[in-house]
Amino acid sequence: MDLECRFCKNKLEKQIIDLGHQPPSNAYLNSNQLSQNEKHYPLKLYICKSCWLVQLPAYASASELFTPDYAYFSSTSTSWCKHAKKFVDTSVSKLGLDEKSHVVEIASNDGYLLQYVRDYGIPCLGIEPTHLVAEEARRKKIKTIEEFFGRKLAQKLVSKGALLQDKVDLVIANNVIAHVPDINDFLGGINYLLKENGFLSCEFPHLLNLLKKNQFDTIYHEHYSYLSLKVFRRIAYYNGLKVVEVEEIPTHGGSLRVWLVQKNNSEKENSSVKKIIKKEEEAGLESLEIYEKFRKNIEKIKYQLLDFLVEQKKKGKRVFAYGAAAKGNTLLNYAGIKNDLIVAVADKAKSKQGKYLPGSHIPIISFEKLQEYDVDYLILLPWNLRNELKEQLKKYDLITAIPELCINESD
């Protein structure tokens, strides 16, 4: 099959890493599905040597991955809600938003962020294609449309008599840019939606951190693109948007918050943009050496974790995991780990409890149930939430596998 770059459409030939054939990371199973055939897709990361966009080919469509029963609820993370509230408070002040403004969030999930916009009395709209989480947002009195976003929906939203009576002051697209198969259609739609003086704010995991900190578990089928600022700026400009400011933030192991306006806006690019791009250039993100080093590092992590788990199995120790996160599924399936090495994974999301992880078929239990077991080691799969969870999990000997195997024995 000939592959083409999702941005520049040139032939896509350079494979960086192969994580094997894996099921979609959020395709949790119920007990009846364990004996059925499970869909697996290649998980191979490529880089376009024409525009340097790092990407996964769309082996599975967005509608296959983001199904109506998609079970990721942003509000289950206390730290994520605090992050969202702080962003809203800052944005209202920064942009002078008030009850005459209009805010749209794309991939608004369960209303974790727009609830704080609503509390300011600012009109807002959520766009969320998955039914379960969209319903939760509506329970919070947040108007939500269940559709995938692109140019067609943007045009429909601002047409005469539509939901929006005017174009938008602020579009928020946090942790969604990587999830869209057609990045040009997506950014082009946002450009259409914005007022002449409107802003787009988006957050995405920084490719530089993924490579330097061996964060390969953020690679899964729902993430089509892996972005540097330099490449993202190039794609945005092609679609009528320009980057004017960027912030480095700690979420998801190190992300960028990027502020954009329309091309013809008088707002100027500030020094923060050049600063980040200089870091990327010094690291060699537009050369192949850093990607080869990354491939060797993740192979080392895989074998370190497997050696540890097999050793504990031989000793009769019981290893559990915490956090049925998508990133954990990439790690477990890449390493070929099953429930003979990890007994169960605890998660506080009720939508996941009683189900099984895709691929590995490790059962998901509640945190309360975990406390009934004798646990020798607990692997923290969402390692990026370590600070949030360390107090709750302080009685356990915690393990993280990324950026390298680390065992923290409890006091």
Side-chain angles (χ1 to χ4, degrees):
M1 178 174 67
D2 286 338
L3 303 172
E4 67 174 31
C5 173
R6 69 183 63 259
F7 167 54
C8 72
K9 308 306 178 186
N10 280 300
K11 197 170 182 181
L12 195 60
E13 296 179 301
K14 182 59 183 176
Q15 180 180 300
I16 302 170
I17 56 169
D18 183 354
L19 297 173
H21 281 59
Q22 299 200 19
S25 285
N26 281 298
Y28 300 95
L29 306 169
N30 60 44
S31 56
N32 294 329
Q33 294 172 304
L34 293 178
S35 58
Q36 299 174 8
N37 289 332
E38 194 174 359
K39 283 187 179 179
H40 286 68
Y41 303 96
L43 196 57
K44 297 179 180 181
L45 197 65
Y46 287 79
I47 190 165
C48 175
K49 291 175 70 176
S50 297
C51 70
W52 295 98
L53 175 62
V54 176
Q55 57 198 285
L56 281 178
Y59 294 112
S61 68
S63 58
E64 287 180 274
L65 299 174
F66 301 102
T67 57
D69 60 349
Y70 188 75
Y72 179 75
F73 288 76
S74 295
S75 294
T76 58
S77 171
T78 304
S79 64
W80 193 240
C81 288
K82 286 180 180 176
H83 171 76
K85 185 177 189 309
K86 184 178 178 182
F87 168 80
V88 170
D89 291 343
T90 302
S91 299
V92 169
S93 174
K94 180 186 182 86
L95 304 180
L97 302 175
D98 57 26
E99 67 279 357
K100 295 178 183 177
S101 306
H102 227 118
V103 174
V104 168
E105 185 184 14
I106 304 170
S108 51
N109 202 261
D110 59 2
Y112 75 101
L113 185 147
L114 287 181
Q115 62 186 333
Y116 304 116
V117 177
R118 176 206 62 198
D119 291 347
Y120 272 99
I122 298 169
C124 59
L125 173 70
I127 300 172
E128 171 53 53
T130 59
H131 179 69
L132 276 183
V133 290
E135 280 290 284
E136 182 60 29
R138 293 190 191 102
R139 278 191 278 272
K140 295 172 181 170
K141 309 298 183 187
I142 295 164
K143 190 182 294 182
T144 304
I145 296 176
E146 283 182 40
E147 288 190 45
F148 288 100
F149 181 80
R151 285 188 179 95
K152 189 180 289 186
L153 179 57
Q155 292 165 1
K156 187 167 78 171
L157 287 174
V158 295
S159 62
K160 189 175 180 180
L163 277 173
L164 300 177
Q165 301 306 311
D166 197 359
K167 292 200 174 185
V168 179
D169 298 275
L170 173 62
V171 174
I172 304 163
N174 289 347
N175 297 293
V176 62
I177 303 287
H179 291 73
V180 294
D182 191 338
I183 197 167
N184 293 322
D185 181 59
F186 186 83
L187 290 171
I190 292 175
N191 181 29
Y192 185 87
L193 206 56
L194 283 176
K195 287 182 178 177
E196 286 184 8
N197 61 345
F199 280 81
L200 162 63
S201 178
C202 57
E203 297 175 10
F204 51 81
H206 192 188
L207 176 65
L208 183 61
N209 285 314
L210 184 151
L211 296 171
K212 293 182 78 172
K213 299 179 182 178
N214 303 322
Q215 296 170 353
F216 72 94
D217 60 342
T218 62
I219 300 168
Y220 41 94
H221 298 105
E222 290 93 328
H223 287 176
Y224 295 105
S225 302
Y226 301 80
L227 296 162
S228 67
L229 179 61
K230 189 173 183 180
V231 169
F232 179 67
R233 183 177 67 164
R234 189 177 295 148
I235 297 170
Y237 197 79
Y238 175 84
N239 288 288
L241 299 164
K242 64 179 180 182
V243 173
V244 293
E245 184 180 347
V246 62
E247 306 166 49
E248 292 181 287
I249 56 177
T251 56
H252 296 292
S255 297
L256 298 179
R257 176 184 292 145
V258 186
W259 293 89
L260 303 96
V261 295
Q262 290 181 329
K263 250 189 221 182
N264 57 0
N265 191 301
S266 60
E267 192 89 11
K268 302 294 184 186
E269 179 180 291
N270 72 20
S271 60
S272 62
V273 180
K274 289 179 181 175
K275 179 183 174 185
I276 301 299
I277 288 178
K278 184 181 178 184
K279 280 187 185 181
E280 294 177 347
E281 289 174 342
E282 289 173 348
L285 293 196
E286 296 194 359
S287 65
L288 295 177
E289 287 81 5
I290 191 170
Y291 302 99
E292 178 61 21
K293 182 179 179 183
F294 175 64
R295 183 187 63 79
K296 291 177 179 177
N297 286 345
I298 69 171
E299 287 177 353
K300 182 180 176 183
I301 289 169
K302 168 183 175 177
Y303 295 123
Q304 282 179 336
L305 180 59
L306 274 172
D307 287 347
F308 172 80
L309 290 173
V310 170
E311 183 183 354
Q312 303 315 310
K313 181 75 173 178
K314 289 177 179 176
K315 292 178 177 178
K317 302 289 187 181
R318 290 163 62 83
V319 180
F320 288 71
Y322 185 90
K327 61 176 58 200
N329 290 323
T330 293
L331 170 65
L332 297 175
N333 287 318
Y334 173 54
I337 294 167
K338 306 286 187 183
N339 62 0
D340 59 330
L341 296 178
I342 295 178
V343 180
V345 55
D347 197 283
K348 69 177 185 178
K350 292 187 183 300
S351 58
K352 297 179 183 180
Q353 291 166 12
K355 294 186 176 181
Y356 297 79
L357 297 183
S360 66
H361 295 184
I362 296 171
I364 305 170
I365 60 176
S366 67
F367 180 63
E368 291 73 22
K369 185 70 177 175
L370 176 71
Q371 295 175 84
E372 297 175 11
Y373 289 97
D374 292 326
V375 178
D376 293 298
Y377 290 100
L378 187 67
I379 299 177
L380 183 58
L381 294 175
W383 46 263
N384 54 303
L385 298 181
R386 187 183 190 94
N387 289 337
E388 176 184 340
L389 297 171
K390 64 183 180 182
E391 182 62 27
Q392 180 185 352
L393 304 175
K394 63 183 179 182
K395 78 172 191 176
Y396 297 105
D397 290 341
L398 278 184
I399 301 167
T400 48
I402 294 173
E404 59 187 4
L405 188 69
C406 177
I407 304 169
N408 251 358
E409 296 191 355
S410 59
D411 295 332

